[in-house]
């Protein structure tokens, strides 16, 4: 295993312990609101600190981009961290949330960990070496048609400037697929595409830490990832589509038909 992936796994497991411990006493958790429907808890902060301490100990010169503490350092290696993806689920005891840690090297994703702390499922990938769920190699599904596909998404819930556009796409996919799911943690949605539980996924307005690790999982599992035009700007623009190669192409066509 790549040594940097090994350190990322160690960091994710430490954050997972912080989160699992806190989940036993949900009503004790102090919550603050960053903006409407955007909650952050002391657990998000504690998990992030655990991750950063582990990464810094091993790689003191690497840069970091973390959801709660922001950007620091200047390096060709950048760790992109979401310490608790799915905070709303976590706060409600809805068992779908994860730790997401990705490493970018010279602008390309090179290592990825998405850790489903509830189910103790560890999704990992290293560039060029495939994607894994625990010790098992994973692949995207081979379902060829969008009309038979199960599609994941995320609904807008705190920023509504493009909700009409979203609903238009939602309608198209609701009518054109076998079903839509909104599990509530984008990093896990991407991991689910990587292991074939979902055939495709789309969401608007995500942050880089929601997508960084998960996007490498999908690519290394043989899937495709793009922005709404199918191009590579998703980490910058926040709009993402991914899926197995056949479903991905039909999703991009569906979106561009409604541009
Ligand atoms: C959120 C989750 C959710 C997605 C949101 C994200 P957070 O992350 O990934 O599924 O719809 O856009 O912000 O805030 O729980 O880390
Ligand atoms: Ca997130
Ligand atoms: Ca988060």
């Amino acid at each position: 295993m790549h040594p940097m992936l090994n350190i990322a796994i160690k960091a994710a497991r430490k954050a997972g312990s912080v989160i699992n411990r806190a989940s036993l006493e949900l009503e004790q958790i102090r919550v603050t609101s960053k903006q409407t429907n955007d909650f952050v808890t002391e657990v998000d902060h504690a998990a992030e600190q655990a991750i950063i301490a582990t990464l810094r100990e091993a790689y003191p010169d690497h840069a970091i981009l973390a959801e709660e503490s922001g950007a620091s350092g200047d390096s060709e290696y950048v760790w992109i961290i979401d310490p608790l993806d799915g905070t709303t689920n976590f706060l409600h005891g809805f068992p779908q949330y994860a730790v997401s840690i990705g490493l970018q090297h010279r602008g390309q994703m090179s290592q990825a960990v998405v850790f489903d702390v509830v189910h103790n499922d560890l999704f990992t990938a290293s560039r060029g070496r495939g994607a894994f769920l625990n010790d098992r190699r994973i692949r995207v599904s081979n379902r060829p048609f969008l009309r038979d596909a199960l599609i994941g998404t995320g609904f807008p819930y705190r920023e509504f400037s493009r909700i009409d556009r979203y609903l238009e796409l939602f309608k198209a996919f609701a009518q054109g697929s076998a079903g839509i799911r909104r599990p509530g943690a984008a990093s896990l949605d991407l991991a689910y595409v990587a292991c074939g539980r979902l055939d495709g996924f789309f969401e608007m307005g995500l942050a880089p830490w929601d997508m960084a690790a998960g996007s490498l999982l999908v690519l290394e599992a043989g899937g495709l990832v793009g922005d709404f035009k199918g191009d590579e700007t998703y980490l910058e623009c926040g709009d993402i589509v991914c899926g197995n190669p056949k479903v991905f192409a039909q999703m991009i066509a569906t979106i561009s038909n409604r541009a």
Side-chain angles (χ1 to χ4, degrees):
M1 179 184 296
H2 194 288
M4 292 181 185
L5 182 62
N6 215 358
I7 294 294
I9 293 171
K10 188 172 160 196
R13 288 205 183 275
K14 284 195 178 164
S17 306
V18 170
I19 294 166
N20 271 337
R21 231 176 298 130
S23 72
L24 301 174
E25 296 187 332
L26 276 183
E27 56 298 325
Q28 316 271 334
I29 296 171
R30 275 198 308 273
V31 185
T32 43
S33 180
K34 291 194 260 194
Q35 57 180 75
T36 313
N37 284 345
D38 190 359
F39 301 106
V40 62
T41 71
E42 52 193 327
V43 183
D44 298 63
H45 287 288
E48 185 164 300
Q49 285 319 307
I51 294 166
I52 291 177
T54 307
L55 299 178
R56 280 225 191 288
E57 193 187 19
Y59 301 110
D61 299 335
H62 288 187
I64 282 177
L65 173 62
E67 179 175 14
E68 310 306 340
S69 56
S72 61
D74 181 18
S75 164
E76 60 185 37
Y77 289 97
V78 185
W79 292 94
I80 305 180
I81 303 163
D82 191 335
L84 173 50
D85 185 38
T87 297
T88 303
N89 282 348
F90 171 74
L91 281 173
H92 289 259
F94 189 98
Q96 182 79 0
Y97 43 84
V99 178
S100 175
I101 303 175
L103 177 65
Q104 207 175 40
H105 181 221
R106 298 186 178 163
Q108 273 205 324
M109 291 311 303
S110 68
Q111 310 294 335
V113 177
V114 174
F115 181 37
D116 174 341
V117 297
V118 177
H119 304 100
N120 198 24
D121 272 343
L122 187 71
F123 294 87
T124 57
S126 291
R127 184 164 212 92
R129 296 192 193 178
F132 293 80
L133 166 51
N134 301 320
D135 294 330
R136 222 167 20 89
R137 181 89 190 247
I138 52 174
R139 302 275 313 161
V140 293
S141 74
N142 53 21
R143 210 163 265 112
F145 299 115
L146 178 60
R147 65 170 181 271
D148 299 322
L150 188 61
I151 301 297
T153 189
F155 310 138
Y157 65 101
R158 57 190 171 210
E159 210 284 304
F160 299 103
S161 57
R162 293 194 295 159
I163 191 160
D164 290 337
R165 172 74 174 136
Y166 178 80
L167 290 175
E168 187 186 19
L169 298 181
F170 180 86
K171 187 173 171 190
F173 287 118
Q175 290 174 326
S177 73
I180 300 192
R181 298 290 180 271
R182 198 289 189 241
S187 62
L188 270 183
D189 297 337
L190 291 160
Y192 277 26
V193 172
C195 69
R197 293 176 189 168
L198 293 169
D199 305 296
F201 168 76
F202 74 103
E203 187 163 348
M204 288 177 162
L206 287 175
W209 43 80
D210 299 315
M211 301 176 274
S215 62
L216 184 63
L217 292 176
V218 174
L219 292 170
E220 286 297 324
L224 294 175
V225 186
D227 59 21
F228 281 7
K229 293 195 168 117
D231 297 334
E232 280 182 19
T233 73
Y234 48 93
L235 282 186
E236 294 87 57
C237 77
D239 297 345
I240 188 169
V241 182
C242 69
N244 78 41
K246 293 195 169 115
V247 166
F248 175 82
Q250 292 158 70
M251 290 180 78
I252 294 294
T254 303
I255 293 172
S256 56
N257 284 341
R258 279 156 193 84

